[in-house]
Amino acid sequence: MSITQHIAKTIYRPGIGKLIRPISRLLFNHMNEGIAIYHTDGQLVMSNHVAEKYGFLVTAAAKDSIYPLYFKINGAIPLPSDQQPLNRLLQGEQDIVQELWLKPGEGKAGSIVRIVGKALRSFRGMPLGFMLVVHDITLSKWHEKRLEVSEQRFKSLFEHNPDMVLWFDLKGTLLSVNSAFETVTGHFASELIGHSVGELINDVEAWQLQQLLEKVHEGRTIHQETSITNKSGELVYLHATVIPIIVEEQLAGFYIVAQNVTAQKQSMETISRIAYFDSLTGLPNRHSFFETLTGTLAQCSTCIDRQFAVLFVDLDRFKLINDTLGHRAGDFLLEQTALRMGKCVGDSGTIARLSGDEFIILLNHAGAQEAEQLAGKILDEIAVPIIYDNNRLLSTASIGISLYPDHGTSSEQLIQFADIAMYRVKEQGKNNYLFFTSEMNESIVRRTTMEKQLAIALEQEQLTLFYQPQVEASTGKISGFEALVRWNMPERGLISPLEFIPLAEETGMIIQLGEWVLRRACEQHKRWIDEGLMPVTIAVNISMKQFEDDSLFETIRHILFETKLPPHLLELEITESIGLQGADQVINKLNRLKTLGVSIAIDDFGTGYSSLHYLQKLPIDTLKIDKSFIRDMINVTPDISIVHSIIRLAHSLQLDVLAEGVEVVSQLEMLAELKCERLQGYLFSRPIPAEEARVLLQRQKLDEHYR
């Protein structure tokens, strides 16, 4: 006999006041669902304990009660009478299932329930009454709602994400893409679904795809730069993140979330191309040559018998030709000289233009004999007249040669010694070549002497700081100063940092010197603030050796603590080459410095080559455009291009831009038009002593007061 039949036999019969089968009452009250039994006239005749909790009460007081109350499942709209479970059964329906919000009584919490209603009949088909079975589904409904909300959030993140999102299964087959991907590539999702990762991503070999899938199966998140081809056949460069999909602790597939970095990559390529090659001759420039030479030296460190030569070439009559026939004639001479020397060097080395009429050559796998042969060939080629606009351009060259490892084992030594030998040729009448010799080493002796004097200068406070203003391009107001060290030598007066900073770097004294500059700059600025002058940024250069020093963080922290200078007023300037050393190690060190509250600037930007992906990771605030680009931007179109590219790149990364070396109004106007925020250069002021800088701040304060 079924439970329904058991229950049916417990219905009150006319004239009988007790249950026919008491055993069914025990079963009835131990059921997990609420059971309510009604007579054919709709009178509630029995309910178990669970049903009573929902307001189904068989008591005299309950007969006139309005409870339980039925609402639609949202809990806000009452359920019409004709839609209520019992009334539907009374109206003739045999079986019903409804999900409702049920309120059992005044002051009691409602529940979401599923009510199953059934008309009860005897074995002969005679109506006996009605039964309502009440299931509490509140918890499952909340779970469903949470799942629905979660799915809606995911759909929103997927569909409306500004980045491209691709969904793959475990085999690397595309399941779906979002609208951002369709917009960027021009492909519809239906055209791509079912394709593999290798078919969608450019330059992915089978073994690389296998490695990718292995890492995904390990549950690892992967970052990489790659590219895809859009519908027009153009490359779209991406910074992609591969994210495993974990469902119930099982790997179910993976997403690729990708940013379109095409514009930024193109800007970086423009910067790289212009920064690494001479715009006039097409030769590698100084920066490119130094990188090549550094790489060659690294290779030589693992090869005992390796030799090479460095040739420093300077044209002898270039200034005369340039001054008498004009810059176009001078440029033509440089172009033709570059071509001729290139033919002489061929594939045996690298030739670069350093600046003006200076060239430098790295001759691979060469000793004195090979270097001498090349020098003679170059002299013969350059001596041949060049015809320009019916004029015979006559020029010769002076060449200095240094050999590795005979004359030096560092790039600085080899270039310096070749330069020294070249100047000795000039002194002896030009149009010749000489190898470096120890007799030419007078400059090294002077450097040794200066090294000793610099140590004394640090002890005897012979150093002083000058300050060069940095101004806002839009208002002309002073926004900061760059602190620049000068050496006031008793015998010679003020000495340029170009003479002693490289020496301090080489000897390691730069650590002590750098700490002195930081402390004095912070102390001076705090005095200005205490006098009521306008707080501005004070910028201090951090050298490579300082940055590599493990005590740099503590040094800056102590100086800020002792001087009480607000940290946000101190800007640390590092060169682009520092930013490229050691990747994650540099990022970690910069992040730690940022915790002090200071700002970070990349100095001389554009003279090195930064990975876009890496540059995005650097916690920096400002890019300072190298003055070499600003100097020639009026007359040299590529320099305008690189300045514009740097500014656009900085703004895309939400960085401030400062242009160094602004000397004329036309540069100011062009930079303002390109939306460069800050400027620095002789147009505004040369580096000046602290007292003169104080006067400028005082004047600015008065101007602000009387406006």
Side-chain angles (χ1 to χ4, degrees):
M1 185 179 292
S2 69
I3 294 175
T4 302
Q5 292 169 330
H6 271 295
I7 294 170
K9 285 187 172 294
T10 65
I11 297 178
Y12 283 97
R13 293 182 179 176
I16 300 176
K18 62 180 180 179
L19 293 172
I20 295 175
R21 291 177 63 89
I23 186 65
S24 294
R25 167 66 75 174
L26 181 63
L27 175 64
F28 193 58
N29 281 326
H30 281 79
M31 295 183 68
N32 293 325
E33 293 83 10
I35 306 293
I37 306 297
Y38 292 85
H39 200 275
T40 53
D41 60 2
Q43 181 72 31
L44 179 64
V45 296
M46 182 183 297
S47 60
N48 66 357
H49 294 327
V50 176
E52 289 173 356
K53 293 179 182 179
Y54 293 109
F56 297 91
L57 300 172
V58 187
T59 63
K63 289 182 178 180
D64 299 324
S65 173
I66 61 172
Y67 293 100
L69 292 179
Y70 297 102
F71 294 82
K72 292 188 177 181
I73 199 165
N74 59 20
I77 302 174
L79 190 69
S81 176
D82 61 344
Q83 296 179 21
Q84 294 182 9
L86 179 60
N87 289 339
R88 288 177 62 185
L89 293 172
L90 289 169
Q91 291 167 13
E93 293 187 48
Q94 297 299 308
D95 296 281
I96 62 168
V97 179
Q98 287 179 272
E99 291 186 355
L100 307 167
W101 180 280
L102 184 149
K103 186 174 178 62
E106 185 67 34
K108 295 183 179 180
S111 303
I112 300 174
V113 297
R114 180 184 293 111
I115 294 181
V116 177
K118 185 176 182 64
L120 301 176
R121 295 181 178 277
S122 68
F123 290 115
R124 295 194 178 102
M126 298 296 294
L128 297 176
F130 309 100
M131 176 175 65
L132 298 181
V133 181
V134 183
H135 303 264
D136 193 323
I137 59 172
T138 305
L139 189 59
S140 64
K141 281 295 179 182
W142 279 116
H143 284 316
E144 287 178 14
K145 189 65 177 176
R146 287 179 63 185
L147 181 59
E148 180 184 347
V149 169
S150 177
E151 289 175 348
Q152 289 174 349
R153 286 176 178 169
F154 167 78
K155 184 177 180 181
S156 180
L157 282 172
F158 187 85
E159 290 296 334
H160 303 296
N161 198 318
D163 294 333
M164 291 169 277
V165 184
L166 299 86
W167 179 10
F168 294 89
D169 65 16
L170 284 175
K171 295 180 180 179
T173 303
L174 184 66
L175 301 177
S176 182
V177 297
N178 68 350
S179 58
F181 184 87
E182 293 180 318
T183 301
V184 171
T185 65
H187 291 291
F188 292 109
S190 57
E191 299 171 344
L192 302 174
I193 290 173
H195 286 68
S196 69
V197 179
E199 292 173 318
L200 295 171
I201 307 298
N202 293 333
D203 302 324
V204 176
E205 302 292 339
W207 64 270
Q208 292 174 312
L209 179 59
Q210 184 60 34
Q211 282 190 343
L212 172 68
L213 294 176
E214 286 175 2
K215 290 178 180 178
V216 167
H217 278 274
E218 293 170 5
R220 294 164 59 183
T221 298
I222 307 156
H223 302 277
Q224 65 183 55
E225 291 186 10
T226 186
S227 67
I228 57 176
T229 304
N230 66 18
K231 202 162 189 175
S232 302
E234 300 167 331
L235 281 180
V236 178
Y237 293 96
L238 307 175
H239 173 56
T241 302
V242 183
I243 306 170
I245 302 172
I246 309 296
V247 178
E248 296 181 353
E249 299 184 357
Q250 294 292 320
L251 188 65
F254 62 94
Y255 298 118
I256 294 181
V257 181
Q259 295 175 315
N260 182 4
V261 294
T262 305
Q264 292 172 316
K265 187 172 181 64
Q266 289 171 345
S267 293
M268 291 299 300
E269 288 174 350
T270 299
I271 293 171
S272 172
R273 184 172 60 255
I274 299 175
Y276 260 63
F277 290 89
D278 178 52
S279 59
L280 177 63
T281 64
L283 294 174
N285 62 12
R286 176 190 297 269
H287 316 300
S288 178
F289 181 82
F290 269 82
E291 200 167 274
T292 301
L293 180 55
T294 301
T296 302
L297 286 168
Q299 294 173 6
C300 290
S301 65
T302 60
C303 184
I304 299 174
D305 299 327
R306 181 75 177 269
Q307 288 182 309
F308 66 84
V310 173
L311 288 76
F312 202 113
V313 182
D314 185 273
L315 299 184
D316 294 328
R317 303 178 68 251
F318 178 74
K319 188 176 186 306
L320 176 63
I321 294 170
N322 213 37
D323 292 345
T324 56
L325 298 178
H327 290 293
R328 289 188 178 180
D331 288 349
F332 185 75
L333 175 60
L334 292 172
E335 289 173 336
Q336 294 303 309
T337 300
L339 289 172
R340 292 179 174 187
M341 287 196 294
K343 291 178 182 177
C344 294
V345 175
D347 296 331
S348 60
T350 300
I351 176 172
R353 183 186 175 201
L354 289 184
S355 63
D357 60 347
E358 292 181 340
F359 298 85
I360 194 163
I361 299 168
L362 171 62
L363 187 60
N364 294 318
H365 306 287
Q369 183 178 351
E370 292 82 3
E372 189 170 13
Q373 289 173 351
L374 176 61
K377 190 186 297 185
I378 289 173
L379 290 176
D380 291 341
E381 281 288 334
I382 291 177
V384 176
I386 295 173
I387 306 301
Y388 173 78
D389 197 20
N390 296 324
N391 292 296
R392 287 165 58 86
L393 305 182
L394 298 173
S395 182
T396 58
S398 298
I399 304 175
I401 307 170
S402 63
L403 301 173
Y404 173 92
D406 299 354
H407 298 144
T409 56
S410 71
S411 55
E412 292 81 4
Q413 286 177 325
L414 291 166
I415 293 171
Q416 179 189 10
F417 292 161
D419 191 18
I420 290 171
M422 183 272 292
Y423 274 106
R424 181 60 61 90
V425 174
K426 295 276 191 187
E427 292 170 1
Q428 294 181 358
K430 306 177 182 178
N431 192 26
N432 202 352
Y433 63 85
L434 285 174
F435 287 91
F436 173 78
T437 66
S438 58
E439 295 176 2
M440 302 175 186
N441 214 14
E442 294 176 3
S443 62
I444 297 178
V445 174
R446 287 196 300 271
R447 283 171 60 84
T448 304
T449 302
M450 184 177 286
E451 180 182 341
K452 295 177 182 177
Q453 291 172 329
L454 180 57
I456 295 171
L458 283 166
E459 294 175 2
Q460 298 182 356
E461 295 286 330
Q462 293 178 9
L463 302 173
T464 187
L465 287 186
F466 276 45
Y467 299 86
Q468 187 170 31
Q470 299 171 337
V471 304
E472 296 175 356
S474 58
T475 64
K477 293 181 182 178
I478 296 173
S479 62
F481 287 99
E482 181 177 4
L484 301 165
V485 65
R486 297 290 184 267
W487 181 2
N488 193 5
M489 187 184 289
E491 300 84 2
R492 294 175 53 189
L494 285 177
I495 298 177
S496 167
L498 295 177
E499 287 192 56
F500 66 87
I501 292 296
L503 178 64
E505 286 267 13
E506 186 177 323
T507 60
M509 284 191 285
I510 194 68
I511 304 295
Q512 186 180 354
L513 176 60
E515 181 177 349
W516 183 90
V517 171
L518 268 168
R519 186 177 299 279
R520 290 294 184 274
C522 292
E523 288 174 346
Q524 179 62 71
H525 194 17
K526 185 60 169 65
R527 282 198 293 271
W528 288 336
I529 294 172
D530 292 343
E531 291 174 21
L533 298 178
M534 190 79 66
V536 295
T537 301
I538 193 77
V540 178
N541 290 283
I542 302 296
S543 72
M544 174 77 79
K545 286 197 179 298
Q546 278 181 279
F547 191 80
E548 292 173 347
D549 182 29
D550 292 336
S551 64
L552 178 65
F553 176 85
E554 287 301 323
T555 296
I556 296 174
R557 189 176 70 83
H558 281 305
I559 289 173
L560 288 171
F561 176 77
E562 292 169 4
T563 62
K564 295 182 173 56
L565 178 72
H568 71 277
L569 297 179
L570 177 61
E571 181 177 77
L572 304 177
E573 294 187 1
I574 64 170
T575 62
E576 190 176 6
S577 59
I578 292 177
L580 296 174
Q581 302 293 318
D584 292 340
Q585 184 180 356
V586 170
I587 293 171
N588 293 337
K589 184 167 272 191
L590 289 175
N591 276 322
R592 191 169 183 227
L593 289 173
K594 288 284 286 183
T595 63
L596 295 173
V598 302
S599 58
I600 307 288
I602 295 284
D603 198 12
D604 301 330
F605 187 79
T607 59
Y609 181 72
S610 298
S611 158
L612 170 61
H613 175 52
Y614 182 50
L615 188 63
Q616 288 176 313
K617 289 185 174 182
L618 289 176
I620 57 177
D621 306 282
T622 302
L623 291 186
K624 294 187 69 176
I625 305 175
D626 185 68
K627 60 186 176 183
S628 63
F629 300 117
I630 305 302
R631 181 178 60 239
D632 297 328
M633 67 182 294
I634 300 173
N635 301 316
V636 182
T637 301
D639 280 7
I640 300 174
S641 299
I642 194 169
V643 170
H644 192 197
S645 295
I646 291 173
I647 292 173
R648 284 194 305 169
L649 174 65
H651 288 167
S652 73
L653 298 175
Q654 298 183 335
L655 301 178
D656 192 20
V657 186
L658 187 150
E660 297 180 291
V662 181
E663 298 183 355
V664 295
V665 174
S666 54
Q667 292 170 334
L668 165 63
E669 292 171 345
M670 292 177 71
L671 288 165
E673 186 177 341
L674 294 175
K675 295 182 172 55
C676 180
E677 288 86 358
R678 293 192 290 153
L679 310 171
Q680 180 179 344
Y682 285 1
L683 178 62
F684 310 104
S685 173
R686 291 176 175 271
I688 54 178
E691 184 54 35
E692 293 182 33
R694 179 187 174 280
V695 171
L696 290 181
L697 288 175
Q698 182 68 38
R699 188 180 303 159
Q700 182 162 295
K701 179 182 177 182
L702 291 172
D703 289 345
E704 290 288 326
H705 178 74
Y706 288 110
R707 279 183 182 174

